[in-house]
Amino acid sequence: MASVAQRRPRILVVEDDRTLNAQIASLLEGKGYRTQQSYEGEGALLCALSQHFDLILLDVLLPTLDGFEVLDRLRKTRHTPVMMLTACGAEEERILGYRRGADDYVPKPFGFTELLLRIEALLRRTLGSTDQRADPDELTLGPLKLDRSTMDVRHGSAGITLTPIQFRLLWSLVLHQGQVLSKPYLYQLVLEREFSRYDRSLDMHLSRVRRKLIEAGLAADRLQTVHGKGYCFL
C-alpha cells in the first residue's frame, strides 16, 4: 500500500511568467502538493509525456507551443487532468479548451484561494479517496458541528434544519474558515451552474442560512458578505 507521502498529488505547473510560476509552485508545496515547473510548451509536453502527474496547470499563452497545442498532443496518449489558465473574459478560449479535453479552467487574474479550491475539487473527482486532501465527514468549530453524511447541523444543543443546497453552502464556508470564497466558485460548487451577476439565488440561500444560524445562537457576524468578493465564515 502506498504511504501518505507517496500519495501526495503531483502537479506540473506550466506558466511562462516565472514569478507567477514560482508563486503557484510555492503555494502548492506549502499545501502539501509536490510540484514541477515548466515555462514553455515543448518542454512541458515532454515532461507530461515522460512522467506521471496527477494534475497539469496549463497556461494558454506559451512560447514554442501554446497551451491548446500542448493539450491536443497530450490527449493523444494521456488522460492526465488539465486545468487551463486563461485570460479573464476569454470565453472562446474556455470553450476551445473544453472541446480539446481540458477538465477545468481558471481565468486570470485569479486569487490563490480560489485556485487551490478548484485544484482540490478537481483532484477529488479524479483521485477520490487516494487524495489525502479529501474533505472530512464531520466539521466541528466550537459549538457548531456539521455532519456531511446526514447533513445534520447543530449549534450546541440546538438543531439547525438546512436544505441540501444550504448545507453545501455552509459546509464549504466552514471548511475554508477565514477564506473569502468568490461567488463564481460557489455557484459552480453549490448551485452547479455558471455565475450570473443578475442571479440572486446564492444571496438568498446565504441569507436564509445566516438567519437560521442566528436563531440557533450563532453570532451574526460569523457569516460575512465581503462586498465585491464573496462570502466568508469567521
Side-chain angles (χ1 to χ4, degrees):
M1 180 179 294
S3 68
V4 171
Q6 290 174 319
R7 287 311 309 154
R8 289 169 56 208
R10 190 160 183 256
I11 299 176
L12 175 62
V13 183
V14 188
E15 165 62 61
D16 65 328
D17 182 328
R18 289 179 177 264
T19 299
L20 179 58
N21 195 316
Q23 290 174 335
I24 294 173
S26 177
L27 173 82
L28 294 175
E29 292 281 349
K31 293 296 182 179
Y33 294 102
R34 295 175 294 160
T35 66
Q36 185 159 328
Q37 296 167 258
S38 183
Y39 309 100
E40 49 85 25
E42 287 186 355
L45 180 62
L46 179 61
C47 191
L49 292 175
S50 62
Q51 301 181 49
H52 170 77
F53 294 97
D54 297 293
L55 174 65
I56 298 172
L57 294 181
L58 182 60
D59 188 27
V60 171
L61 298 177
L62 293 169
T64 65
L65 292 176
D66 69 26
F68 296 127
E69 184 66 23
V70 172
L71 183 60
D72 277 343
R73 298 189 189 185
L74 178 70
R75 283 292 177 256
K76 292 178 180 178
T77 56
R78 295 283 189 279
H79 298 287
T80 310
V82 172
M83 182 178 292
M84 304 290 290
L85 307 179
T86 70
C88 186
E91 183 177 1
E92 68 282 357
E93 287 188 355
R94 297 197 292 271
I95 293 173
L96 185 58
Y98 281 134
R99 284 177 175 169
R100 295 189 178 190
D103 297 275
D104 197 2
Y105 71 89
V106 177
K108 292 181 177 179
F110 49 80
F112 287 134
T113 295
E114 182 153 348
L115 177 64
L116 277 172
L117 293 174
R118 285 181 176 272
I119 288 172
E120 289 170 358
L122 181 52
L123 287 175
R124 276 197 298 272
R125 295 200 301 269
T126 56
L127 294 180
S129 61
T130 63
D131 180 6
Q132 70 185 76
R133 264 178 225 9
D135 286 354
D137 289 326
E138 297 181 2
L139 292 175
T140 300
L141 197 60
L144 182 65
K145 301 182 185 301
L146 289 78
D147 186 320
R148 188 166 58 164
S149 62
T150 61
M151 291 199 301
D152 182 61
V153 181
R154 304 194 68 80
H155 184 259
S157 60
I160 303 171
T161 302
L162 300 179
T163 67
I165 286 177
Q166 292 167 1
F167 181 87
R168 289 201 300 272
L169 177 58
L170 180 60
W171 177 274
S172 301
L173 292 165
V174 173
L175 181 65
H176 300 284
Q177 181 193 10
Q179 299 177 339
V180 178
L181 304 188
S182 72
K183 285 186 178 182
Y185 174 76
L186 287 170
Y187 263 77
Q188 289 192 334
L189 182 68
V190 176
L191 301 181
E192 299 180 342
R193 64 174 185 262
E194 289 292 321
F195 169 69
S196 167
R197 68 181 62 190
Y198 304 109
D199 186 344
R200 306 295 293 177
S201 301
L202 194 67
D203 298 319
M204 177 190 68
H205 288 299
L206 186 108
S207 177
R208 290 175 179 173
V209 170
R210 181 186 284 120
R211 176 174 53 79
K212 291 178 181 181
L213 291 174
I214 293 172
E215 290 174 353
L218 193 76
D221 61 354
R222 297 295 299 279
L223 187 52
Q224 296 196 350
T225 300
V226 184
H227 294 290
K229 294 185 177 180
Y231 304 116
C232 179
F233 192 92
L234 300 176

